[in-house]
Amino acid sequence: MSRTVTARQIPAGTHHWPAQQRVVYGVPYREAVAKELERSRARRVFVTTTRSLTGWDLVASVVAELGERFAGKFHDIAAHSPREAVIAGANAIRAAGADLIVAIGGGSVIDATKVMLIALWRNFETAARLSEAANRIPEASAWDDDPQQLRMIAIPTTLSAAEFSPHAGITDPGRRVKEGFQHPLSVPKCVILDPEATGETPLELMLSTGMRAVDHAVEGWCATRTAPLAEATTMRAMQMLATSLPAIKRDPADMTARLDAQLGMWLSRFVTMAGIPYGASHGLGYLLGAYKGVPHGITSCLTLHAVLAWNEPVNADRQRAVAAAFGRPGGSASAGVRSFVESLELPTRLGQIGIARDDLPAIAGSWDGAAP
């Protein structure tokens, strides 16, 4: 028997699995690093991090675990991953002859290290050469197109979730714009999610990057098109983050809540690989980050509730689930998210972080047409 099925009845899409071999969660990071060294048989391991983290016990204990394998460390990665620091880090890794990189930190460190890998693979030694490769985005799942031996593992210290995507954004400080990069193998081959690794992260940074994960989940859920895996993961991510972030606020030593938040932010990124685009909250966040240096966790606190209010006339049905997840069943998703941010004692208005109305035309004018 034949039947006629309209295109509308048949969901279609492509889910890209990044070249991420393992996500190790709930295992002490020292044990996980030792296991990865055993797996990789790496002889020269290079560490990337930031100046603020380089003195932490976390970094010192990883270096100690590496022992004779430790090949060097680069810690001059600032917020928003300036491209000059990326090239400097790549040149340091090249000089050290490293065969494995361990990235320790938040989104800026992990994104910078992804682009360092691209610079090393392509033999780029200057920031200008690096910019030539910006926005040339190969498919995230095309692992076999350009095989590479040098890879990284990541130990995230925040909830930005950069480690679950092969895409990276770095900043050209001169033009004050973000440049996008992607390579199928730039994603960490192993991510180690240990709540103890977040123990020294300042509370405001932990909570604000948690709002970045909320932004991933909410914009993925409310997107103009979706997919079954994206729906399942974004919904669960919202639920886990809605409970774990307040629990961390109440008791920063609650490692169970920290692990729940890490798992929630991991779930929030499956939507990217399902090919679902993020929306205006992310787009505005990129502008604020590149032009005014606002951390991306804070940009999500400022923009997500406003974008929900703006979009409510066209996606009110989707927003009802967001409202319920953030404590406003039957009410406004925008109000629920804004109240949630305020309960974490994070800013919700541009004026609270020193951006005036007079700044808006220049910020808007910095948009170069890039998505989202």
Side-chain angles (χ1 to χ4, degrees):
M1 180 184 295
S2 63
R3 63 191 178 94
T4 301
V5 181
T6 66
R8 188 182 179 122
Q9 292 174 299
I10 303 176
T14 299
H15 188 95
H16 295 274
W17 290 110
Q20 196 153 73
Q21 295 165 294
R22 288 172 296 283
V23 177
V24 181
Y25 56 93
V27 176
Y29 64 83
R30 295 175 187 84
E31 179 182 330
V33 168
K35 184 67 173 177
E36 286 305 308
L37 291 176
E38 182 183 332
R39 285 179 185 272
S40 70
R41 300 178 183 175
R43 295 183 177 182
R44 296 188 61 76
V45 184
F46 197 94
V47 174
T48 56
T49 188
T50 66
R51 284 190 181 277
S52 60
L53 273 67
T54 196
W56 284 17
D57 289 343
L58 168 63
V59 176
S61 61
V62 169
V63 169
E65 186 65 44
L66 296 177
E68 293 181 355
R69 296 183 181 93
F70 178 60
K73 178 174 65 173
F74 183 82
H75 59 214
D76 287 336
I77 303 170
H80 302 291
S81 312
R83 64 177 188 162
E84 285 74 13
V86 170
I87 282 294
N91 290 339
I93 295 166
R94 184 185 293 109
D99 55 7
L100 180 68
I101 303 171
V102 178
I104 304 173
S108 294
V109 169
I110 293 167
D111 269 11
T113 306
K114 293 176 197 175
V115 186
M116 287 178 198
L117 284 169
I118 294 171
L120 289 162
W121 298 333
R122 298 288 177 264
N123 227 11
F124 295 153
E125 297 183 0
T126 66
R129 286 294 310 279
L130 186 62
S131 290
E132 291 174 12
N135 301 314
R136 297 179 184 177
I137 308 297
E139 278 196 336
S141 57
W143 307 358
D144 301 328
D145 286 3
D146 184 27
Q148 298 289 342
Q149 290 298 312
L150 181 62
R151 300 286 303 279
M152 74 155 142
I153 64 175
I155 306 174
T157 59
T158 71
L159 299 172
S160 69
E163 56 276 2
F164 297 111
S165 167
H167 181 267
I170 66 171
T171 304
D172 177 348
R175 294 186 299 133
R176 293 198 283 186
V177 297
K178 279 273 188 179
E179 295 178 333
F181 294 81
Q182 180 168 293
H183 188 285
L185 301 182
S186 67
V187 67
K189 68 176 182 178
C190 176
V191 176
I192 298 169
L193 296 180
D194 179 3
E196 293 285 351
T198 71
E200 296 174 275
T201 302
L203 183 59
E204 181 180 284
L205 179 59
M206 188 72 179
L207 297 175
S208 64
T209 55
M211 278 306 304
R212 187 63 171 174
V214 168
D215 204 350
H216 298 327
V218 171
E219 289 218 304
W221 174 262
C222 291
T224 53
R225 58 186 174 83
T226 187
L229 182 61
E231 289 191 327
T233 52
T234 53
M235 175 54 67
R236 185 63 179 139
M238 284 190 287
Q239 294 167 346
M240 294 187 79
L241 293 163
T243 57
S244 60
L245 295 180
I248 295 169
K249 177 75 166 59
R250 289 191 299 271
D251 179 9
D254 186 342
M255 292 297 141
T256 300
R258 285 177 179 259
L259 181 57
D260 281 349
Q262 288 181 313
L263 296 175
M265 63 100 169
W266 176 21
L267 290 174
S268 79
R269 288 310 300 264
F270 277 81
V271 65
T272 310
M273 296 299 102
I276 309 303
Y278 290 126
S281 182
H282 276 71
L284 293 170
Y286 295 150
L287 297 185
L288 291 172
Y291 197 84
K292 280 291 189 178
V294 184
H296 281 317
I298 296 297
T299 66
S300 293
C301 298
L302 303 169
T303 60
L304 180 57
H305 66 87
V307 168
L308 284 167
W310 178 266
N311 283 332
E312 188 175 14
V314 295
N315 64 5
D317 288 347
R318 304 296 290 183
Q319 289 201 28
R320 277 194 278 274
V322 178
F326 291 95
R328 293 288 180 100
S332 160
S334 174
V337 168
R338 180 169 180 168
S339 177
F340 183 76
V341 175
E342 290 172 341
S343 75
L344 300 176
E345 298 184 2
L346 296 169
T348 59
R349 297 183 63 85
L350 294 172
Q352 291 174 274
I353 61 165
I355 294 179
R357 184 176 295 275
D358 290 347
D359 294 320
L360 300 185
I363 294 171
S366 69
W367 183 52
D368 63 359

